[in-house]
Amino acid sequence: MPKQKVSSQRTIQEGAIFISDAHYPHHGEAFLDILQRLERGEIQTPQLFLMGDNFDLLFGYNELIQRYASEAIRLLQTLSQHLEIHYFEGNHDFCLAPLFPHIHLYPRKEQPLYFQWNNKRVGLSHGDRYATGWVYHLYSRLLRNRRTLEWLKPFEGWIIPHRMKRLAQKEICHSFEGFSQRVEAILAEYEEVDCVIEGHFHQAKQEGKYYSLPSLACQGSVGVIEEGQLRFKVL
Ligand SMILES: [Mn+2]
């Protein structure tokens, strides 16, 4: 099947839903629940934005890792055949192209993307790209590489269950000291934007033109475009 066309030339539409940092399958069932309700038609939207870290650990070129979230993966594969889905890969979910041929996937190195929203220019990315050091950049590039993932495969029976167990126990919901300064540094990286929408920080707050999306795992809420506003709400 040919890749679904972006119907709207990178335009954010009324009713669009932004889900970020669900960290599924750990930290609750809300992500799977929303996908199931979308499939049953109980939740309707013209567009779904998955803003990264929706899975606590998921990457392509590996079958074992998919077993931890097989139903959510299957639902996304089915939904994406008729629903416009944009997926900004995060630091926990990357190299997803082999899994989701019908989703518009944006790896870290392609972020940010710029979308139109009413007459505004909006910068979007997962949020781990800016104001981080070179060690993190190098680590990210090495890990998000097909060869690295294939090279790790013989060790997967040990590495993946161990990582999953550690991640399940990790405390992921924190308040952020000095968040305003961080926001200033991030905004400086975007070109001529009216606003920026990111996940990653789990803050569920707006600071000027910067929206830090709620984490579905932490606040239990998502972003929804209602009456031209980005609102945070529980679905
Ligand atoms: Mn993240």
Side-chain angles (χ1 to χ4, degrees), residues 198-214:
E198 291 188 341
H200 187 59
F201 297 108
H202 306 183
Q203 295 302 298
K205 63 167 84 148
Q206 182 188 357
E207 297 235 357
K209 55 178 159 174
Y210 184 84
Y211 292 88
S212 176
L213 289 165

Side-chain angles (χ1 to χ4, degrees), residues 21 23 51-53 90-93 126-128 136 199-202:
D21 300 273
H23 290 268
M51 297 304 292
D53 292 357
N91 45 312
H92 291 244
D93 41 2
H126 169 61
D128 66 320
Y136 182 77
H200 187 59
F201 297 108
H202 306 183

Side-chain angles (χ1 to χ4, degrees), residues 52-68:
D53 292 357
N54 291 91
F55 293 91
D56 212 15
L57 188 60
L58 184 65
F59 43 80
Y61 312 108
N62 186 292
E63 262 107 67
L64 177 60
I65 191 75
Q66 296 173 37
R67 286 191 218 157
Y68 291 86

